[in-house]
């Protein structure tokens, strides 16, 4: 909770548009933050966010809505927007079927879909997505275009990923970088 409070103080002091990936509940449903830190994210950090990108577990914890259907996800997004988030993206990568993200701008809903890339190299997908949104905002794109561009970037990072060590490897963050030649 103290770390969240410090981060919020800096965001307010700098006046920067903020993309919040809550990173509080893993894809397997395990809590990564203490209950007081979760409350601080909800009470302090979400109201400062331009974009918030929870997975389904995190959206449930932050909104109080158990997500079992598309209507539930919409209600969770509304509640997150009521907390102050200007744009809510409830990520759909952990749902069965196509990875469809629900996007809510406080007025209307949209969906961003992509093909599901069959790979075990999924470590860091949520962090990569939120960082790509922030990078696109920094490049001058609007929030909705930044979200759409980040979805495309992540899909290709998954498609071009490769195994590193054991377990779930990371996505390929450098898939857009051209090799500069031989290191001979």
């Amino acid at each position: 909770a103290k770390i969240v409070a410090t981060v919020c103080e800096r965001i307010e002091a700098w006046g920067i548009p903020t993309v919040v990936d809550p990173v509080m509940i893993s894809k397997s449903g395990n809590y990564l933050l203490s209950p007081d830190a979760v409350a601080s994210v909800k009470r302090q950090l979400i109201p400062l966010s331009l974009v918030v990108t929870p997975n389904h577990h995190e959206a449930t914890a932050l909104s109080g809505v158990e997500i079992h259907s598309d209507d539930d996800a919409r209600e969770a997004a509304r509640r997150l927007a009521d907390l102050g988030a200007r744009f809510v993206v409830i990520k759909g990568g952990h749902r069965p079927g196509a990875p469809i993200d629900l996007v809510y701008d406080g007025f209307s809903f949209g969906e961003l879909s992509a093909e599901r890339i069959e790979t075990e190299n999924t470590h860091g997908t949520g962090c990569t997505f939120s960082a790509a949104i922030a990078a696109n905002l920094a490049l001058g794109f609007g929030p909705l275009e930044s979200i759409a561009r980040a979805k495309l970037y992540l899909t290709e990072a998954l498609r071009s990923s490769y195994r590193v060590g054991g377990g779930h490897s990371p996505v390929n963050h450098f898939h857009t970088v051209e090799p500069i030649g031989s290191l001979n």
Side-chain angles (χ1 to χ4, degrees):
K2 289 179 182 180
I3 293 170
V4 173
T6 300
V7 168
C8 291
E9 287 172 16
R10 297 301 2 140
I11 290 169
E12 288 179 311
W14 294 326
I16 56 175
T18 305
V19 178
V20 174
D21 181 11
V23 192
M24 44 187 260
I25 304 174
S26 70
K27 64 181 102 184
S28 57
N30 297 316
Y31 271 77
L32 306 172
L33 293 181
S34 64
D36 64 328
V38 171
S40 292
V41 166
K42 184 175 177 178
R43 187 181 66 255
Q44 295 176 283
L45 190 55
I46 299 298
L48 296 177
S49 66
L50 174 62
V51 182
V52 63
T53 63
N55 62 31
H56 277 242
H57 298 301
E58 293 160 343
T60 292
L62 291 167
S63 70
V65 175
E66 192 72 36
I67 299 175
H68 299 289
S69 68
D70 291 342
D71 286 339
D72 295 338
R74 285 186 198 91
E75 181 58 27
R78 282 187 199 95
R79 290 189 187 184
L80 290 171
D82 288 346
L83 291 174
R86 292 198 35 224
F87 294 86
V88 178
V89 182
I90 298 180
K91 299 177 291 197
H94 300 123
R95 294 177 66 184
I100 299 171
D101 300 336
L102 177 68
V103 180
Y104 182 57
D105 66 2
F107 301 100
S108 61
F109 292 96
E111 292 183 344
L112 278 177
S113 64
E115 78 179 277
R116 180 166 301 280
I117 306 300
E118 294 302 326
T119 180
E120 290 185 4
N121 306 329
T122 58
H123 186 72
T125 53
C127 298
T128 298
F129 180 60
S130 61
I133 295 170
N136 278 285
L137 289 167
L139 289 170
F141 295 102
L144 292 175
E145 187 169 359
S146 293
I147 294 163
R149 290 171 60 91
K151 180 79 168 183
L152 292 171
Y153 173 83
L154 178 59
T155 299
E156 293 309 312
L158 284 161
R159 185 186 321 279
S160 65
S161 66
Y162 51 91
R163 175 155 303 288
V164 177
H168 290 281
S169 293
V171 299
N172 180 7
H173 296 102
F174 299 107
H175 70 87
T176 61
V177 177
E178 292 290 325
I180 57 173
S182 169
L183 297 177
N184 295 342

